[in-house]
Amino acid sequence: MYSPTIRQLFFGILFLFISPSLVFSETPALTEPALESLLAGETETFVWSANGNSVDEWWLYVGSALGAYDIHDSGSLGTSQATTVSNLPVDGSTVYVRLWYRAADSSWEYTDESFDSRFLVEILPITPAPASTLAGSSETFTWSDQGYPVDEWWLDIGSSPGNNDVYDSGSLGSDLSVDVTGLLTEGNTLYVRLWHRIDDIWWYTDSVYTAATIGDAPEILGPPPGSMLSSSVETFSWSAGGMSIDEWALELGTSFGGADVYNVYSLGTDLSVTVSEIPINGGMLYARLWYLPSGEDWRHIDVSYLSAPSPTITSHIVNSSLTASTETFSWTANGSSVDNWWLYVGSSLGASDFYDSGDLGVNLTTTVVNLPTDGSAVYVRLWFRVSGEQWQSVDYSYSSAILVSLSPTSPVAGATLTGSSEDFTWSAEDSVVEEWWMHVGTRVAGTEIWNSGSLGSSLSTTVNGLPTNGSTVY
């Protein structure tokens, strides 16, 4: 006859044998993308499985280092088992993913995975320069791999974006140049798409050119096609090139074939027109010159320009941190003739709740007071107006100054705690601090472990109930 101890041990072993999930249950894990695979690009959907576990809450970190979340912090996802992450790197670097999970009334646990990001390389032809006018019906295009491991190249040229009706190189292997013949020579717009393959994935970069004008075809004379405009007012001129033209028309737009900036559908036989209220933002501007040859149908020439550069704030680097609650902002017109300036500063894009300068006339500077000093976002909108035209604006964003940046002096941040109870101490570092309060949690800004309430001017507190399982405490 078995003793009670032996009998209990027998049934315990039998219970474990018939309930293997209690011992061998798999931990939750990512299922998409496939482990150790390359990410698809700048956006990726991550999917995971509980693997039979009872999980009440999920949370996903994506970062450039193990456990980091500088790329993405999902926040609580509840019971959802998928989330889409954008702004992933595309430089071949390693991306670290930490999947947090928690059952009801239990501590957070996690599993780590890593992936390699894709190469998504911005590669443009070096010669001829994008947006320039080609020299003739033949042209040599050259480019650089910029040090990236490109396996294969391919060049298409078309009369419309993405087309290859003018030229299709076929595979160029590892060559970094190609001689192209048979190009159009009527001042047309040509669209060049340079393909490059890395790790069996094809990517491309587009650039736009103006074809050479040879023979008697009409051509745009000024401003020179492919050039940068100098202001919001420009005179466009052209030549009939020896043809008999009954009528001209001009369209200007911010997209190819667009007419959102200017359109006059009958200029008669005039060979020039002055256009005002052209955007000043350094963006692309597309011009389509229509002409009607005697006895024929309408034809057109497409050229492109860069609009005049927008005024620029010179006193502060964009996206930088401000240094104080009072800041002097200054700017430059970048060559444009600006008669009036106006500055908004606010807590959201386009807002003026921090500062509204009013009309500054031709002044190129103003001082803003009472800015926040808590590290929050500060949005600056610089308004400008060229004489007789509408107001335009350019936006900037900054981080406000942080006048106090403190951390506990004991225990040192990043250290391993000694037990379930810990004395935390800190210093005001010469700042005038009126009141302190401490939160301790299993995630950033969490309070599930400790919420001290007001500590007044005390520079220490004892925290109890700390976990002792090696998890991270915030």
Side-chain angles (χ1 to χ4, degrees):
M1 180 179 290
Y2 294 107
S3 68
T5 301
I6 297 297
R7 188 164 51 247
Q8 289 168 359
L9 177 60
F10 172 81
F11 283 112
I13 294 172
L14 178 62
F15 178 75
L16 291 175
F17 179 76
I18 64 175
S19 304
S21 63
L22 296 178
V23 176
F24 300 106
S25 176
E26 296 183 69
T27 59
L30 288 169
T31 57
E32 294 180 25
L35 301 186
E36 299 183 358
S37 65
L38 287 173
L39 299 179
E42 293 178 317
T43 301
E44 183 77 65
T45 297
F46 291 88
V47 182
W48 52 88
S49 169
N51 284 332
N53 295 280
S54 177
V55 176
D56 294 320
E57 192 173 4
W58 302 92
W59 198 300
L60 194 77
Y61 282 176
V62 183
S64 57
L66 184 64
Y69 51 90
D70 50 314
I71 298 173
H72 183 76
D73 181 349
S74 70
S76 175
L77 296 169
T79 57
S80 176
Q81 292 182 218
T83 190
T84 298
V85 178
S86 57
N87 298 318
L88 290 164
V90 285
D91 56 3
S93 60
T94 301
V95 174
Y96 297 86
V97 178
R98 176 164 289 182
L99 177 64
W100 291 91
Y101 54 94
R102 182 179 65 85
D105 301 323
S106 297
S107 299
W108 285 91
E109 298 183 53
Y110 64 84
T111 181
D112 286 321
E113 300 293 346
S114 63
F115 303 86
D116 288 332
S117 63
R118 286 283 182 189
F119 281 106
L120 183 56
V121 190
E122 283 279 337
I123 298 178
L124 291 173
I126 296 174
T127 58
S132 64
T133 299
L134 303 180
S137 61
S138 299
E139 192 74 59
T140 297
F141 289 85
T142 64
W143 52 89
S144 168
D145 59 16
Q146 300 183 34
Y148 290 97
V150 178
D151 299 315
E152 189 175 4
W153 301 90
W154 196 300
L155 190 78
D156 287 339
I157 304 177
S159 58
S160 59
N163 207 339
N164 62 353
D165 55 322
V166 176
Y167 180 78
D168 180 351
S169 71
S171 174
L172 296 170
S174 60
D175 292 345
L176 297 177
S177 68
V178 64
D179 295 325
V180 179
T181 59
L183 293 169
L184 304 177
T185 56
E186 296 183 354
N188 315 67
T189 298
L190 293 176
Y191 298 87
V192 174
R193 176 163 289 181
L194 178 63
W195 294 88
H196 61 278
R197 180 175 61 83
I198 299 176
D199 292 332
D200 297 324
I201 302 296
W202 284 95
W203 309 96
Y204 65 83
T205 307
D206 287 330
S207 50
V208 180
Y209 298 86
T210 300
T213 301
I214 300 175
D216 294 332
E219 62 176 320
I220 292 179
L221 301 176
S227 64
M228 176 178 285
L229 305 182
S230 59
S231 71
S232 62
V233 180
E234 290 284 349
T235 297
F236 292 82
S237 61
W238 50 87
S239 166
M243 294 181 66
S244 176
I245 306 299
D246 293 336
E247 197 170 357
W248 302 90
L250 184 70
E251 296 175 338
L252 297 177
T254 55
S255 60
F256 179 73
D260 51 311
V261 174
Y262 178 82
N263 63 78
V264 172
Y265 295 117
S266 179
L267 293 169
T269 57
D270 292 344
L271 294 177
S272 67
V273 66
T274 298
V275 180
S276 59
E277 298 189 0
I278 297 173
I280 300 177
N281 56 17
M284 291 296 297
L285 183 71
Y286 299 87
R288 175 166 288 180
L289 177 66
W290 291 91
Y291 58 97
L292 182 63
S294 297
E296 300 183 28
D297 294 330
W298 282 93
R299 304 180 190 176
H300 66 267
I301 301 169
D302 289 316
V303 297
S304 60
Y305 301 92
L306 285 174
S307 63
S310 61
T312 305
I313 289 179
T314 56
S315 57
H316 297 76
I317 299 173
V318 64
N319 295 325
S320 63
S321 294
L322 305 180
T323 59
S325 61
T326 299
E327 295 280 349
T328 297
F329 289 86
S330 56
W331 51 87
T332 178
N334 279 331
S336 296
S337 178
V338 177
D339 292 337
N340 301 85
W341 301 94
W342 199 303
L343 195 76
Y344 282 177
V345 184
S347 57
S348 60
L349 184 65
S352 58
D353 49 317
F354 294 152
Y355 181 73
D356 182 344
S357 69
D359 192 336
L360 295 168
V362 295
N363 289 326
L364 296 175
T365 185
T366 188
T367 299
V368 181
V369 299
N370 297 322
L371 289 166
T373 55
D374 57 1
S376 59
V378 174
Y379 297 87
V380 175
R381 175 164 290 179
L382 178 63
W383 291 94
F384 58 95
R385 184 171 67 86
V386 177
S387 180
E389 299 189 18
Q390 297 179 351
W391 285 90
Q392 300 182 54
S393 67
V394 59
D395 289 316
Y396 296 85
S397 62
Y398 305 93
S399 296
S400 64
I402 301 177
L403 295 190
V404 181
S405 182
L406 308 173
S407 62
T409 58
S410 176
V412 177
T416 299
L417 303 179
T418 59
S420 62
S421 180
E422 190 78 48
D423 293 328
F424 286 83
T425 62
W426 54 90
S427 168
E429 298 181 1
D430 298 324
S431 299
V432 182
V433 179
E434 296 175 351
E435 191 173 3
W436 302 89
W437 198 300
M438 177 172 276
H439 287 170
V440 183
T442 58
R443 56 186 173 85
V444 174
T447 61
E448 56 269 47
I449 296 175
W450 186 261
N451 185 343
S452 70
S454 175
L455 297 170
S457 59
S458 176
L459 297 177
S460 67
T461 189
T462 299
V463 178
N464 299 311
L466 292 164
T468 56
N469 58 0
S471 60
T472 301
V473 175
Y474 297 87

